[in-house]
Amino acid sequence: MELLVVEDLRKYFEFKKGLFARKQYVRAVDGVSFSVERGTTLGVVGESGSGKTTLGLTILRLIEPTSGRILFNGSDVTRLSKEELKHFRRSTGIVFQDPYSSLNPRMRVKEILERPLKIHSDEGEESRVERIIKTLEEVGLSAEHLMRYPHELSGGQQQRVAIARAIILKPLLVVLDEPTSSLDVSVQAQILNLLLDLQSRHELTYVFITHDLLTAKHVSDFIMVMYLGKVVEYSTVREVFSNPRHPYTASLLSSIPIPDPKLRGRKRVSVVGEPPSPLNPPKGCRYHPRCPYAIDTCELREPELLEHDKKHFVACHRAGELSFREFLADMDSFLSE
Amino acid sequence: MRVPEVLLDVRDLRICYETSRGCVKAVDGVSLEVYAGETFCLVGETGCGKSTLALAIPRLLPPNARILSGSILFKGVDLLRVSDSKLQELRGKEIAMIFQNPMTSLNPVHRVGFQVAEVPVTHFKMSWREALATAVRQLGRVGIADPDLRSRDYPHTFSGGMKQRSMIAMMTTCKPSLLIADEPTTALDVTIQAQILKLLHELKNEYGLTLLLITHNFGIVAEVCDRVGVMYAGKIVEVADVTEVFEAPLHPYTKGLIDCVVARRKSKSRLNQIPGTPPSLLNPPTGCRFHPRCAYVTHECVKEEPRLIEVRKNHLVACHNYEKVGGVSWSS
């Protein structure tokens, strides 16, 4: 069953360069549609400025969308009443990249975790503390951490507290915005294991936002690749990693530094230059100035996100004819399951 | 086989930071040889002392750092004992360094071209006119489009990748012997990271540079390095050729780090994890510093600190039980 359905979601940020200047818009999320089934993980990947964080915040209505629909369990999140919104807040959680800046430095762990309980349930103090300890144990901490301040915890422990806060109300959907990016490699593995454990224990649905494709591959069932506010490719993990159809996806996969010295001289799909400013995206296909496969059509017309194979959506004029299999053959042991 | 020429020879280096809570031994008895023309990677987690070690080479340590002992020989000259004026001559000309965050290493109030041109003006007494032309050429070489135009811009108009390219241009105009790169791509996107690594590799071959690269990313290690030194809690625990490190690591920490890289794991499977977190360097564990997190720990490890010894040809390891540490348990 689909827990989350997003239809043509847009979020434009307005800004002016001077007092009397004309209004301009940054189209951070520009017509994004997807759905996530209950208990699965959607990995959202893209480089900085692709709109992936804005997307995560918008689907939880932490920022208001400009237009589009967000159906959560069948009801439209964009039109909820105050009471319904409170209920929606209880069924969702979010974990941010930097655990230290997402925890209030003046609150103890107990107070941080007590906050959602105070707002959303009328339990007494004793049962609240009991629930907090239970949740702390679930994320690999214990009662001894209750009275600590965030700065007394290591980065990994801070992120565990942030995860505890996100799951303490037993939500259905958790948005994870780069939850392991600021952590050390050995701690990253611990946190990824924890997230996967929690997911299978509570049938959680994740939207996992990351720039690290290998992490996305490890945790996700479906992958959505974003570029300058648009979805360029969307399919199952297996499809995206073994048979990418969009040149941008292929070049992202080629750019991953692979931890195997034998693969150094492998073939790669190149990408030219740097991402353009989202303020003034290129006409036609937004990727065409960097794309080694661009043809005239790409400059003129914006490609639609179309289904090419079953459940494999690609927004590229040449999706039918391009194949990147030969480029990725060397990396197969890393990219396939 | 030709005996490789040692360009940089660090011997028994000890550095501590004086803090209000005591002396933090960031680098504690590190010895290391970097050969001319190679790419040597120092890899380790946050706080293992890799950046401190790198900063000590051109003597750029912050004021609260104290060098307790050791020497750093560069082409036979001890950088820790050389006069300030001689050091100034070496910095930028013989030894160059690029940092993680290119924004904070470029001066925001000077034009990019000027900043690049300063280097040959200082070191080769080049005229400004000539130096600016060199700067434009070098900016073009590192892949800045319209270098003539862009050299007159200020750093804030550059993207992160272009800033790092400018830093590289600045640091390579004098064709130094040693280029130290401290996490040069960590702040950049993955496609830009690939471009910058490729550029560094090209420049290395073109100018015959020796590259000392500091990173925490094993992917990058595999992509660009010849030899690897793994650091943990202020010590070097293993040094070996890159293929050897990936195929037959001998230190449990190295093996653990490579094992917990997600790359070769079946999706959604449990990753092998190293329990716990790196220790505080204020009060490091006794014996082997890795022993509280180690799966191979014995009584000896708690009591006695293992020395870094060559156990196979060109493969050094500091572990009492290295013989028990098998290859990598990749489940592919």
Side-chain angles (χ1 to χ4, degrees):
Chain A
M1 209 197 70
E2 271 143 3
L3 180 71
L4 179 73
V5 180
V6 172
E7 289 169 5
D8 199 29
L9 189 69
R10 284 162 207 273
K11 175 66 198 180
Y12 297 171
F13 292 104
E14 178 189 306
F15 84 102
K16 283 204 243 177
K17 269 208 157 153
L19 188 56
F20 301 106
R22 206 159 48 88
K23 273 186 202 161
Q24 283 182 295
Y25 294 95
V26 176
R27 299 171 173 208
V29 174
D30 200 5
V32 168
S33 306
F34 62 90
S35 60
V36 191
E37 269 177 54
R38 182 139 190 208
T40 66
T41 302
L42 171 71
V44 180
V45 300
E47 297 181 277
S48 44
S50 62
K52 54 192 196 301
T53 294
T54 308
L55 177 73
L57 295 173
T58 316
I59 53 182
L60 294 185
R61 243 187 99 178
L62 292 172
I63 49 178
E64 294 294 326
T66 307
S67 71
R69 295 212 304 163
I70 305 160
L71 300 170
F72 180 78
N73 246 344
S75 61
D76 190 347
V77 175
T78 56
R79 286 153 211 267
L80 295 178
S81 69
K82 218 176 158 195
E83 201 50 39
E84 288 166 324
L85 188 64
K86 192 175 165 190
H87 189 258
F88 171 70
R89 294 261 174 264
R90 190 161 64 199
S91 355
T92 56
I94 185 162
V95 177
F96 298 98
Q97 172 170 357
D98 179 4
Y100 188 68
S101 60
S102 70
L103 300 173
N104 189 332
R106 293 164 64 156
M107 282 165 114
R108 293 172 193 275
V109 169
K110 173 174 171 266
E111 295 164 277
I112 291 170
L113 297 180
E114 213 171 21
R115 207 65 179 286
L117 294 176
K118 276 187 174 162
I119 295 169
H120 290 287
S121 78
D122 38 24
E123 287 171 273
E125 161 100 25
E126 212 168 291
S127 92
R128 276 205 304 263
V129 172
E130 207 173 288
R131 210 159 136 187
I132 290 169
I133 294 175
K134 216 179 129 234
T135 315
L136 279 176
E137 282 165 358
E138 259 198 291
V139 298
L141 299 171
S142 64
E144 68 169 291
H145 297 101
L146 269 183
M147 300 316 265
R148 303 267 183 93
Y149 285 102
H151 74 263
E152 298 174 286
L153 304 172
S154 70
Q157 289 173 328
Q158 287 168 6
Q159 197 60 299
R160 285 173 197 270
V161 172
I163 292 169
R165 179 178 58 187
I167 61 156
I168 197 163
L169 292 167
K170 306 217 176 314
L172 299 170
L173 174 73
V174 181
V175 171
L176 303 158
D177 189 357
E178 307 261 15
T180 58
S181 302
S182 66
L183 305 173
D184 270 319
V185 198
S186 70
V187 183
Q188 269 182 23
Q190 295 172 4
I191 297 293
L192 288 178
N193 281 340
L194 171 65
L195 290 170
L196 289 174
D197 284 348
L198 290 171
Q199 178 169 47
S200 58
R201 203 176 310 149
H202 299 294
E203 220 204 335
L204 289 170
T205 307
Y206 287 155
V207 172
F208 196 106
I209 297 164
T210 181
H211 69 278
D212 180 349
L213 282 101
L214 291 175
T215 303
K217 178 195 152 250
H218 186 74
V219 298
S220 310
D221 299 285
F222 289 86
I223 296 276
M224 188 161 92
V225 184
M226 291 188 70
Y227 188 74
L228 287 181
K230 293 260 179 196
V231 176
V232 297
E233 188 153 5
Y234 171 48
S235 190
T236 60
V237 166
R238 183 186 291 259
E239 271 290 298
V240 170
F241 280 85
S242 63
N243 186 24
R245 290 295 195 77
H246 198 285
Y248 179 61
T249 313
S251 69
L252 274 183
L253 293 176
S254 291
S255 304
I256 310 175
I258 293 288
D260 185 345
K262 288 196 294 281
L263 295 180
R264 242 181 230 188
R266 65 182 184 271
K267 284 190 205 165
R268 293 169 203 248
V269 182
S270 62
V271 49
V272 201
E274 310 199 8
S277 152
L279 186 62
N280 191 12
K283 297 241 157 28
C285 172
R286 292 181 181 191
Y287 186 56
H288 86 259
R290 300 179 75 197
C291 182
Y293 304 92
I295 49 173
D296 293 347
T297 328
C298 304
E299 249 173 272
L300 302 171
R301 215 153 42 79
E302 191 163 347
E304 272 178 80
L305 188 69
L306 297 173
E307 188 162 4
H308 280 266
D309 295 319
K310 198 169 176 293
K311 288 234 168 163
H312 194 152
F313 296 84
V314 190
C316 175
H317 292 303
R318 301 186 65 193
E321 44 176 316
L322 294 175
S323 167
F324 302 100
R325 278 208 166 124
E326 77 169 299
F327 287 99
L328 302 172
D330 295 340
M331 296 164 75
D332 220 32
S333 57
F334 285 94
L335 299 184
S336 60
E337 279 170 83
Chain B
M1 213 183 94
R2 199 165 56 91
V3 181
E5 181 200 339
V6 177
L7 182 76
L8 184 75
D9 186 359
V10 179
R11 284 186 200 161
D12 194 36
L13 188 65
R14 282 170 215 275
I15 302 167
C16 83
Y17 289 107
E18 278 169 24
T19 66
S20 54
R21 289 192 292 161
C23 189
V24 178
K25 296 189 203 82
V27 174
D28 197 4
V30 164
S31 296
L32 176 73
E33 287 180 344
V34 178
Y35 303 137
E38 74 171 345
T39 301
F40 188 92
C41 250
L42 265 181
V43 56
E45 297 181 278
T46 317
C48 70
K50 54 189 194 302
S51 291
T52 304
L53 176 55
L55 285 171
I57 296 166
R59 253 164 58 191
L60 291 174
L61 289 165
N64 68 332
R66 259 194 327 147
I67 295 170
L68 302 175
S69 74
S71 59
I72 300 175
L73 298 171
F74 173 77
K75 292 188 172 174
V77 179
D78 188 349
L79 296 174
L80 297 180
R81 286 171 186 86
V82 85
S83 70
D84 285 352
S85 59
K86 174 74 180 157
L87 186 72
Q88 198 54 43
E89 232 172 81
L90 291 174
R91 282 186 196 148
K93 189 174 173 188
E94 283 286 336
I95 304 172
M97 186 155 184
I98 51 178
F99 300 90
Q100 174 171 347
N101 190 340
M103 188 63 236
T104 52
S105 23
L106 288 168
N107 190 332
V109 300
H110 290 298
R111 296 171 201 273
V112 174
F114 170 84
Q115 297 187 53
V116 177
E118 255 186 322
V119 188
V121 167
T122 312
H123 288 296
F124 296 141
K125 309 276 176 288
M126 215 182 248
S127 70
W128 273 103
R129 175 195 284 271
E130 209 182 327
L132 283 168
T134 312
V136 169
R137 228 179 11 253
Q138 197 63 12
L139 285 169
R141 172 63 197 90
V142 298
I144 303 273
D146 306 320
D148 197 17
L149 220 60
R150 296 314 302 261
S151 71
R152 279 170 255 168
D153 282 336
Y154 289 95
H156 75 268
T157 62
F158 279 32
S159 70
M162 286 163 69
K163 280 180 209 141
Q164 198 59 294
R165 282 177 202 276
S166 310
M167 271 311 290
I168 293 173
M170 191 190 298
M171 287 298 140
T172 50
T173 34
C174 289
K175 302 191 173 60
S177 316
L178 178 67
L179 179 63
I180 305 167
D182 187 359
E183 305 262 9
T185 58
T186 308
L188 306 173
D189 276 322
V190 59
T191 54
I192 310 300
Q193 166 169 294
Q195 293 171 4
I196 295 284
L197 290 177
K198 188 163 164 253
L199 174 68
L200 282 174
H201 190 72
E202 284 168 8
L203 290 174
K204 178 186 166 252
N205 290 340
E206 207 173 307
Y207 300 155
L209 301 174
T210 304
L211 195 59
L212 176 61
L213 187 74
I214 288 133
T215 181
H216 66 276
N217 184 333
F218 267 93
I220 293 177
V221 173
E223 296 276 2
V224 298
C225 292
D226 300 319
R227 288 197 311 136
V228 185
V230 182
M231 280 189 82
Y232 184 76
K235 302 222 168 238
I236 290 197
V237 297
E238 186 160 4
V239 179
D241 286 345
V242 66
T243 32
E244 186 100 348
V245 163
F246 280 89
E247 278 165 18
L250 290 178
H251 197 283
Y253 178 63
T254 316
K255 178 172 148 55
L257 277 184
I258 293 174
D259 261 352
C260 69
V261 170
V262 292
R264 277 254 176 121
R265 293 275 152 190
K266 206 167 169 340
S267 286
K268 299 222 174 188
S269 65
R270 275 192 78 80
L271 299 165
N272 286 357
Q273 55 183 45
I274 304 175
T277 46
S280 148
L281 295 176
L282 264 173
N283 192 12
T286 57
C288 171
R289 295 188 172 185
F290 187 58
H291 86 258
R293 304 175 74 190
C294 183
Y296 301 87
V297 63
T298 56
H299 288 301
E300 203 186 2
C301 308
V302 185
K303 276 190 255 150
E304 202 181 322
E305 191 170 331
R307 284 190 314 130
L308 187 69
I309 43 171
E310 186 163 3
V311 296
R312 286 184 199 163
K313 196 167 168 26
N314 301 327
H315 195 151
L316 288 76
V317 67
C319 176
H320 293 304
N321 303 310
Y322 70 88
E323 279 159 333
K324 291 185 216 152
V325 184
V328 179
S329 58
W330 274 342
S331 66
S332 61

